[in-house]
């Protein structure tokens, strides 16, 4: 795949203070401040970098899924990984986890410890049988020692740690419930506790808001923001809708066509930047504090079907998601 | 006293084969419990059953070659596990197909071996005894083999307990925690093969599947904790085997022939009754132990 | 040595074997598509129990096999809807086999009879079998062809099928019914233990050779015919049990299918590392 025709913008001016490997050699005018909505006030001093992705490329089954993706995350930052279905969000997360082999570039996670120790992961879809004899506290405990050999020994310290983790996500009352009988939002919290149990420095979540109603989605975002701020964990979550994350994101990684635009919300979610990413004109509209990205494929833009997520035409950030795209 | 005699026919406790059957049946049920719970959670009941049939191939080969049946059972279970692993039985979509293919090949071979041993040696009873077995035919000479198969099976499950449990919950979560699911899956397959070989050897192929799957499936509804579910499975399995042996011993005085009914019939009936009761109980508590739609 | 293979005496064997192969190949296409290998292995054990029971009370083997196949199908369809599929299948299977062992122990069957019920005896197919065999084969193939589209849709995408008014439970029942019919038909010819091999081997190869479902169905029938005929010739020539050839052929087809797939994927996948598909 050829290089992007136009240079993509660099990371946000506030956080990318040191000369970073993540810069895509952005043109200076792109990095100027955008419209007022979106990114929360940039943090002051630089903090230790937790994740660096440099010129990442991934080929799967002979297809180039990702190319030249660069960004980085610091301690306590929240980043949104935005893109339509099939844009490569899950592939990127799996590459960061080390579950998908990288064909070019580099992914490094801070800390000399192994990748699995430093990264917590909440997959998009965990289907559990209702009769699974595993309680929420068992699942969280497996987050601490699920990779260890041998039988687990009862330990008061582990039990206390488990309950603390469950309390931290507001799910202590679910400790003795079977995991297969939790609702979507409840299971999400328990899975976050499971992921945090390994004391990670980086938390990855694949579409954590996909199956939640508006209220639960807001709660989940608030919870993740709180975890990032209080525990200094970097959070990277994928979503196809940028709106629920407005106001908490320090950084956006916007994926389209296997390439990425990264930076602050105001720097990335803009008509000119997304147009160059998609390779054709993209409108970014601001209405009532929400962002609407209208990606009209040239060939389909006239027929009024540009919101159907089948082809390149995807409505990101619209209040209503149609059809399979939202499920 | 008369009630005791009505339940336990005279001579029950002093009968050598009965004693051996009681002990051996309990040991097998105890080994099958943890392995079986994991088999049910991992959706590997078919593999568990396949191993039972595959070991009958080894049994037939042993009859033909005149070697110890135990050797045949163990070797064929190992060969079955290796070929399932080699053909890629770990891929979820194709797993049942691979299991079935290996099983079909083994059964075909079994047919040939039984045919050859029948025609060459005139041991025509081999078919039924190899497939259906009988717990009363267990000899105490098998004890070393019971230990040699049962202990490694338990050790493998204990060693990989937490990774196995986590990957049964979600392979994705296990991979993210650094569990090498291929290795853990292969370890489990070996444990499954060993415990099923043990069960098929001592109590027959039919009963081994019943003891592997039935008590485990019944136990899932009884406890929300993995360890306790395994304990329940063991208790149900041992109870079914013992009660089945008592009934089979009693049935020697039953119609029509006075030859006794097969133990496997009673044990399977009891196991299924436990499963039905557990399902009904779970249903009444408003929990439907629904599986994945597949 | 093979001169007697086409003697009038063998005619019934050829006819019965061919009918069995057509039915098994057609049903097997859906067995593989739905991933129902275990069910296809369990239902024949029900048929075996039925055959043993028929010997006990002195009725026709085919009748006993048919009735008990239906019992197994009903149990799978009823209890398989809720609960874990493979657990229900395993329990139905052992329940059937345990009943079968009871019938065997109560009756006074010769080991030889049991052996041929388990492993098949196509050379001994009598003319009495032929009429019911034709009927069953027609019913089974007709069922598969008539419900081809709804079975295909509900196997590939149950939700889509439901949206089009095809209930997954009904589709599953139709499918199991077809398996039961094919089993009953095949029991005397191929034997209870190896019917499922004839059902999974040919379609496993067929689906790797073509991506078009209709084509795969016909190819599956064709390969099943090749399997059954070779097994018949092999059994006649060597006097070995036909089940051996059927089981070996299933392994051969599966490996062939995998090889074809690997070969077909190679050019596109060559530069890729790790997980394909």
């Amino acid at each position: 795949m050829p290089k992007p025709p136009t240079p993509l913008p660099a990371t946000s001016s506030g956080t990318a203070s040191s000369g970073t490997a993540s810069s895509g050699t952005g043109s200076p005018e792109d990095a100027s401040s955008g419209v007022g909505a979106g990114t929360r006030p940039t943090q002051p001093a630089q903090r230790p970098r937790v994740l660096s992705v440099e010129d990442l490329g991934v080929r799967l089954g002979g297809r180039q899924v990702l190319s030249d993706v660069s960004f980085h995350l610091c301690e306590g930052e929240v980043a949104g990984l935005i893109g339509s279905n099939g844009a490569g969000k899950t592939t990127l997360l799996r590459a960061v986890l080390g579950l998908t082999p990288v064909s070019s570039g580099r992914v490094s996670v801070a800390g000399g410890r192994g990748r699995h120790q430093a990264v917590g992961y909440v997959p998009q879809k965990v289907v559990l049988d209702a009769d699974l004899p595993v309680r929420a506290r068992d699942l969280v405990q497996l987050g601490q020692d699920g990779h260890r050999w041998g039988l687990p020994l009862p330990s008061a310290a582990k039990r206390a740690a488990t309950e603390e983790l469950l309390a931290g996500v507001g799910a202590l009352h679910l400790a003795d419930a079977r995991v297969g009988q939790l609702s979507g939002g409840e299971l999400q919290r328990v899975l976050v506790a499971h992921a945090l149990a390994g004391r990670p420095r980086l938390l990855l979540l694949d579409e954590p808001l996909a199956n939640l109603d508006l209220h639960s989605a807001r709660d989940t975002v608030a919870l993740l923001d709180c975890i990032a701020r209080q525990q200094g964990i970097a959070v990277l979550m994928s979503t196809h809708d940028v709106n629920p994350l407005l106001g908490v994101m320090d950084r956006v990684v916007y994926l389209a066509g296997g390439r990425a635009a990264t930076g602050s919300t105001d720097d990335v979610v803009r008509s000119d930047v997304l147009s160059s990413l998609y390779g054709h004109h993209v409108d970014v509209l601001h209405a009532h504090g929400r962002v609407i990205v209208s990606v009209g494929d040239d060939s389909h833009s006239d027929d009024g079907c540009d919101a159907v997520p089948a082809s390149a035409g995807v409505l990101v950030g619209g209040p209503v998601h149609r059809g399979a795209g939202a499920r | 006293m008369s009630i005791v005699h009505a339940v336990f026919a005279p001579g029950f406790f002093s009968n050598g084969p009965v004693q051996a059957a009681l002990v051996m049946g309990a040991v097998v049920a105890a080994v099958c419990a943890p392995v079986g719970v994991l088999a049910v959670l991992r959706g590997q009941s078919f593999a568990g059953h396949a191993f039972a049939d595959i070991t009958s191939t080894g049994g037939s080969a042993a009859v033909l070659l005149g070697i110890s049946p135990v050797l045949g059972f163990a070797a064929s279970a190992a060969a079955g596990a290796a070929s399932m692993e080699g053909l890629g039985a770990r891929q979820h979509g194709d797993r049942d197909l691979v299991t079935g293919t290996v099983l079909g090949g083994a059964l075909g071979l079994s047919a040939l071996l039984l045919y050859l041993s029948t025609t060459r040696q005139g041991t025509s009873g081999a078919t039924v005894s190899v497939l259906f077995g009988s717990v009363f035919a267990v000899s105490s000479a098998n004890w070393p083999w019971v230990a040699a198969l049962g202990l490694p099976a338990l050790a493998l499950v204990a060693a990989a307990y937490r990774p196995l449990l986590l990957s049964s919950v979600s392979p994705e979560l296990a991979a993210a925690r650094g569990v090498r699911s291929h290795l853990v899956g292969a370890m489990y397959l070996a444990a499954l093969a060993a415990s099923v070989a043990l069960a098929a050897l001592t109590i027959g192929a039919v009963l081994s599947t019943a003891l592997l799957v039935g008590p485990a499936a019944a136990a899932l509804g009884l406890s929300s904790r993995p360890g306790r579910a395994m304990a329940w499975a063991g208790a149900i399995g041992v109870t079914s085997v013992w009660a089945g042996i008592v009934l089979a011993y009693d049935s020697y005085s039953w119609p029509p022939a006075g030859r006794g009914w097969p133990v496997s019939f009673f044990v399977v009936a009891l196991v299924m009754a436990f499963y039905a009761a557990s399902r009904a109980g779970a249903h009444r508590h408003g929990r439907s132990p629904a599986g994945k739609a597949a | 040595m093979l001169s007697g293979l086409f003697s009038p005496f063998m005619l019934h064997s050829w006819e019965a074997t061919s009918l069995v192969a057509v039915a098994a190949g057609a049903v097997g296409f859906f067995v593989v598509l739905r991933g129902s290998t275990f069910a296809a292995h369990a239902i024949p054990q029900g048929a075996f129990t039925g055959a043993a029971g028929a010997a006990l009370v002195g009725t026709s083997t085919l009748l006993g096999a048919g009735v008990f196949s239906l019992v197994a199908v009903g149990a799978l369809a009823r209890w398989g809807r809720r609960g874990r599929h493979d657990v229900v299948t395993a329990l139905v299977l052992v329940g059937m086999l345990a009943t079968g062992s009871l019938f065997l122990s109560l009756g006074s069957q010769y080991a030889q009879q049991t052996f041929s019920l388990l492993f098949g005896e196509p050379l001994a197919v009598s003319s009495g079998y032929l009429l019911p065999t034709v009927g069953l084969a027609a019913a089974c193939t007709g069922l598969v062809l008539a419900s081809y589209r709804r079975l295909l849709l509900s196997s590939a995408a149950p939700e889509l099928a439901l949206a089009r008014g095809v209930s997954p439970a009904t589709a599953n029942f139709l499918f199991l019914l077809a398996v039961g019919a094919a089993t009953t038909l095949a029991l005397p010819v191929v034997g209870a233990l190896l019917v499922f091999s004839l059902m999974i081997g040919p379609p496993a190869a067929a689906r790797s050779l073509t991506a078009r479902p209709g084509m795969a169905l016909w190819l599956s029938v064709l390969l099943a015919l090749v399997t059954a005929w070779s097994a018949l010739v092999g059994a006649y020539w060597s006097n070995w049990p036909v089940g051996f050839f059927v089981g070996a052929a299933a392994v051969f087809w599966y490996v062939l299918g995998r090889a074809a797939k690997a070969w077909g994927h190679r050019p596109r996948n060559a530069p890729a590392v790790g997980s394909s598909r």
Side-chain angles (χ1 to χ4, degrees):
Chain A
M1 173 167 282
K3 282 265 178 186
T6 26
L8 296 170
T11 47
S12 114
S13 50
T15 41
S17 39
S18 55
T20 67
S22 64
S23 81
T25 63
S27 35
E29 68 270 19
D30 280 350
S32 61
S33 74
V35 204
T39 318
R40 73 179 175 200
T42 48
Q43 307 290 323
Q46 48 184 305
R47 286 170 300 182
R49 193 175 286 183
V50 174
L51 170 68
S52 301
V53 175
E54 298 161 34
D55 302 323
L56 173 72
V58 174
R59 285 181 73 83
L60 282 181
R63 204 165 65 87
Q64 189 80 31
V65 181
L66 294 174
S67 45
D68 299 320
V69 175
S70 295
F71 66 97
H72 71 93
L73 266 181
C74 298
E75 250 181 25
E77 281 187 339
V78 175
L81 177 58
I82 320 286
S84 50
N85 294 330
K89 300 191 296 284
T90 302
T91 305
L92 177 57
L93 293 179
R94 289 179 61 88
V96 171
L97 267 169
L99 296 180
T100 295
V102 167
S103 56
S104 63
R106 217 162 66 86
V107 174
S108 50
V109 179
R113 299 181 299 167
R115 184 83 57 89
H116 304 299
Q117 304 287 310
V119 185
Y121 180 50
V122 179
Q124 176 175 8
K125 205 169 187 185
V126 178
V127 181
L128 299 170
D129 293 318
D131 61 353
L132 197 67
V134 172
R135 300 164 299 170
R137 65 166 77 243
D138 297 319
L139 186 55
V140 173
Q141 183 123 2
L142 284 171
Q144 299 173 57
D145 58 11
H147 56 290
R148 296 258 167 85
W149 300 107
L151 291 170
L153 298 172
S155 137
K158 268 187 195 164
R159 191 183 160 87
T162 300
E163 291 185 349
E164 193 181 321
L165 284 161
L166 280 167
V169 297
L172 189 55
H173 61 291
L174 303 170
D176 291 308
R178 287 183 191 240
V179 284
Q181 291 172 355
L182 300 176
S183 74
E186 290 169 346
L187 180 60
Q188 186 104 68
R189 286 169 180 275
V190 174
L191 287 173
V192 169
H194 166 92
L196 291 177
R199 307 251 167 254
R201 300 190 64 189
L202 171 65
L203 183 60
L204 305 179
L205 301 101
D206 195 359
E207 294 278 5
L209 312 177
N211 296 311
L212 301 184
D213 59 66
L214 213 58
H215 190 72
S216 312
R218 201 174 300 148
D219 287 351
T220 300
V221 170
L223 171 69
L224 294 170
D225 186 38
C226 176
I227 286 168
R229 286 161 181 274
Q230 289 182 354
Q231 306 182 31
I233 294 173
V235 174
L236 176 62
M237 62 179 122
S238 71
T239 169
H240 52 266
D241 181 0
V242 70
N243 280 302
L245 302 185
L246 292 177
V248 301
M249 276 189 301
D250 298 293
R251 204 175 288 275
V252 172
V253 179
Y254 205 117
L255 284 182
R259 294 181 296 123
T262 63
S264 70
T265 315
D266 298 337
D267 293 338
V268 173
V269 188
R270 289 163 36 160
S271 182
D272 53 343
V273 175
L274 293 186
S275 295
S276 83
L277 183 66
Y278 276 96
H280 56 78
H281 183 73
V282 173
D283 283 320
V284 176
L285 311 168
H286 292 264
H288 307 294
R290 295 176 68 79
V291 178
I292 297 168
V293 179
S294 173
V295 183
D297 188 342
D298 291 338
S299 54
H300 296 291
S301 52
D302 295 336
D303 59 13
C305 294
D306 55 353
V308 179
S311 64
V314 177
L315 179 74
V316 180
V320 182
H321 288 277
R322 293 150 183 83
R327 300 192 43 204
Chain B
M1 201 59 196
S2 60
I3 297 172
V4 174
H5 272 300
V7 176
F8 302 105
F12 180 80
F13 290 107
S14 54
N15 187 315
V18 168
Q19 286 170 356
L22 287 174
V23 177
M24 199 76 88
V27 169
V28 170
V31 173
C32 279
V35 178
V37 167
L38 287 168
V40 170
L41 292 184
R42 296 169 67 82
Q44 287 187 299
S45 310
F46 186 28
H49 169 72
F51 280 129
D53 279 355
I54 289 170
T55 52
S56 78
T57 308
S60 326
V63 169
L64 184 65
L65 299 173
I67 58 171
S68 157
V70 182
L71 210 58
F73 273 68
S76 56
S83 46
M84 278 184 207
E85 192 63 21
L87 280 174
R90 61 193 170 277
Q91 286 169 2
H92 227 288
D94 263 11
R95 206 172 59 185
D96 277 9
L97 190 57
V98 170
T99 306
T101 304
V102 172
L103 173 59
L107 284 172
L109 204 57
S110 191
L112 178 62
L113 293 167
L114 283 172
Y115 166 80
L116 292 178
S117 64
T118 308
T119 50
R120 297 213 179 136
Q121 303 170 348
T123 48
S124 58
T127 314
V128 176
S129 69
V130 163
L131 276 177
F132 295 107
S134 170
V135 71
F136 290 132
V138 174
S139 91
S140 53
N142 285 335
W143 273 113
W145 287 104
V146 171
L149 288 168
L151 291 178
L154 287 179
L156 280 170
V157 166
Y161 180 76
R162 284 175 285 187
L164 273 174
L165 200 58
L166 185 54
S167 63
S168 308
V169 174
S170 158
E172 190 85 353
L173 285 180
R177 287 240 48 81
V179 171
R180 288 157 69 191
S181 52
H182 187 168
L183 173 67
V184 169
M187 284 171 74
Y188 178 69
L189 207 60
L192 186 63
S195 53
V196 170
L198 166 66
L201 174 72
T202 48
I203 57 179
V206 179
L207 256 187
S208 79
T209 303
L211 272 190
L212 189 77
V213 176
L220 291 189
L222 298 178
S223 174
S224 58
R225 304 168 64 164
R228 287 198 187 170
M230 289 174 182
W232 272 112
I236 293 172
V238 172
T239 308
S240 305
V241 171
W242 282 355
I245 289 173
V246 170
L247 286 170
Y249 190 80
D250 289 351
S251 74
Y252 275 89
S253 58
W254 291 6
R259 271 187 289 161
W261 292 27
V263 189
S264 55
F265 174 74
F266 293 114
V267 178
V268 167
L270 287 165
V271 163
M272 290 177 86
F274 273 116
Y275 175 70
S278 145
R279 284 290 302 268
H283 197 59
R284 194 177 309 153
H285 284 100
R287 291 190 264 105
S288 69
K292 289 172 190 151
Chain C
M1 188 142 191
L2 295 178
S3 55
L5 201 49
F6 298 99
S7 67
F9 167 73
M10 285 294 291
L11 196 61
H12 297 315
S13 300
W14 280 104
E15 284 166 348
T17 314
S18 309
L19 288 168
V20 166
V22 170
V27 174
F29 171 72
F30 286 107
V31 171
V32 170
L33 191 66
R34 299 174 72 88
S36 300
T37 310
F38 197 13
H41 175 66
I43 293 173
Q45 322 272 322
F48 167 75
T49 297
L56 190 62
V57 299
T59 57
S60 121
T61 305
L62 219 50
L63 181 66
V67 169
F68 273 74
S69 291
L70 270 181
V71 172
V73 165
L76 287 177
R78 174 73 185 77
W79 294 319
R81 236 184 307 167
R82 293 187 307 119
R84 292 166 184 268
H85 240 275
D86 58 335
V87 166
V88 171
T89 312
L91 290 177
V92 168
L93 166 57
V94 292
M96 283 292 177
L97 273 183
T99 314
S101 75
L102 175 66
F103 288 162
L104 285 182
S105 80
L106 293 183
S108 50
Q109 272 208 308
Y110 295 115
Q112 183 54 38
Q113 276 172 288
T114 310
F115 185 84
S116 44
L117 281 179
L118 288 173
F119 294 109
E121 192 48 272
L123 302 181
V125 174
S126 68
S127 56
Y129 271 133
L130 217 53
L131 199 61
T133 306
V134 170
L136 273 171
C140 174
T141 319
L143 189 61
V144 169
L145 292 181
S147 47
Y148 170 74
R149 273 173 298 184
R150 47 180 61 206
L151 273 181
L152 191 64
L153 186 60
S154 105
S155 309
E159 285 96 9
L160 288 183
L162 195 59
R164 296 197 68 88
V166 180
S167 125
T170 311
N172 193 41
F173 183 65
L174 285 176
F175 162 71
L176 290 174
L177 214 54
V179 174
T183 295
T184 309
L185 160 76
L187 184 74
V189 183
V190 194
L193 291 180
L194 285 148
V195 174
F196 85 107
S197 272
L198 192 58
M199 287 188 194
I200 62 170
R207 63 157 197 184
S208 301
L209 296 174
T210 171
R212 290 159 53 196
M215 191 67 185
L217 177 62
W218 294 121
L219 198 56
S220 160
V221 169
L222 185 70
L223 296 183
L225 275 170
V226 171
T227 308
W229 288 336
S230 333
L232 184 62
V233 173
Y236 181 86
W237 173 68
S238 64
N239 214 19
W240 290 359
V242 71
F244 168 70
F245 297 100
V246 173
V251 175
F252 171 75
W253 290 128
Y254 181 81
V255 172
L256 182 80
R258 281 284 290 267
K261 210 186 234 171
W263 192 73
H265 270 264
R266 184 162 305 179
R268 282 203 299 135
N269 272 5
V273 191
S275 70
S276 53
R277 307 210 304 152

